[in-house]
Amino acid sequence: MGDTVRAQVMMSFLASEELAFLIPVDLVYETEDPYAVRFTFCLPGDAPVSWVFGRELLVDGISHPSGEGDVHIAPVCAERLADLHIQLFAGSERAVFRVSAPPLVAFLDRTDRLVPLGHEEAQQDIDAELDRILAGGRMP
């Protein structure tokens, strides 16, 4: 059983150039899956939608454009830590969100205290060993 970091941030869902909705987004990091962060978007009038992001992608996206495929993260202003754009692609559909960087940095800092970036594999080995011990396995 691993530890969990939870947070909620407010993001602007940019529906169009003229229209944006402020929505709550739940962030969850679990040491059982140390490479990933789950975002659950609570869109108005729809069921919550969850996406799994690579934790390293989030860290990289704070300072420079990152991502390929379905997820792109980039700072709005390269000169200072301010806001980020998060773009999600599902087929031909695209959703764009704007979020303040400091709450994400604070969340990522809390995840780094549990499992330092770059030490995820060691965490998975520890979790597997604990699971084996708790299941009644013998030590070699």
Side-chain angles (χ1 to χ4, degrees):
M1 291 184 210
D3 292 320
T4 302
V5 175
R6 296 179 186 279
Q8 186 177 77
V9 298
M10 297 303 288
M11 293 189 187
S12 292
F13 170 53
L14 308 177
S16 70
E17 295 274 333
E18 302 83 28
L19 184 61
F21 298 98
L22 198 59
I23 63 165
V25 179
D26 296 319
L27 311 178
V28 177
Y29 175 80
E30 298 174 311
T31 57
E32 293 172 355
D33 187 3
Y35 293 100
V37 175
R38 187 175 64 245
F39 280 43
T40 301
F41 298 88
C42 302
L43 299 169
D46 283 328
V49 176
S50 292
W51 281 67
V52 177
F53 293 71
R55 181 170 65 146
E56 190 171 354
L57 171 66
L58 287 173
V59 170
D60 291 346
I62 288 170
S63 59
H64 60 274
S66 299
E68 54 187 58
D70 295 344
V71 179
H72 296 257
I73 302 173
V76 173
C77 176
E79 289 79 42
R80 58 187 172 86
L81 182 64
D83 288 355
L84 303 174
H85 276 147
I86 297 175
Q87 295 183 64
L88 306 176
F89 297 88
S92 64
E93 299 293 317
R94 177 180 76 139
V96 180
F97 300 88
R98 186 172 179 145
V99 62
S100 177
L104 282 182
V105 170
F107 173 78
L108 290 168
D109 181 59
R110 290 173 49 214
T111 71
D112 195 61
R113 282 187 246 145
L114 280 182
V115 179
L117 203 60
H119 292 89
E120 294 88 355
E121 190 171 316
Q123 180 64 39
Q124 286 183 320
D125 293 343
I126 290 168
D127 286 345
E129 184 64 15
L130 283 173
D131 288 345
R132 186 186 63 73
I133 291 168
L134 293 172
R138 294 181 177 249
M139 295 188 70

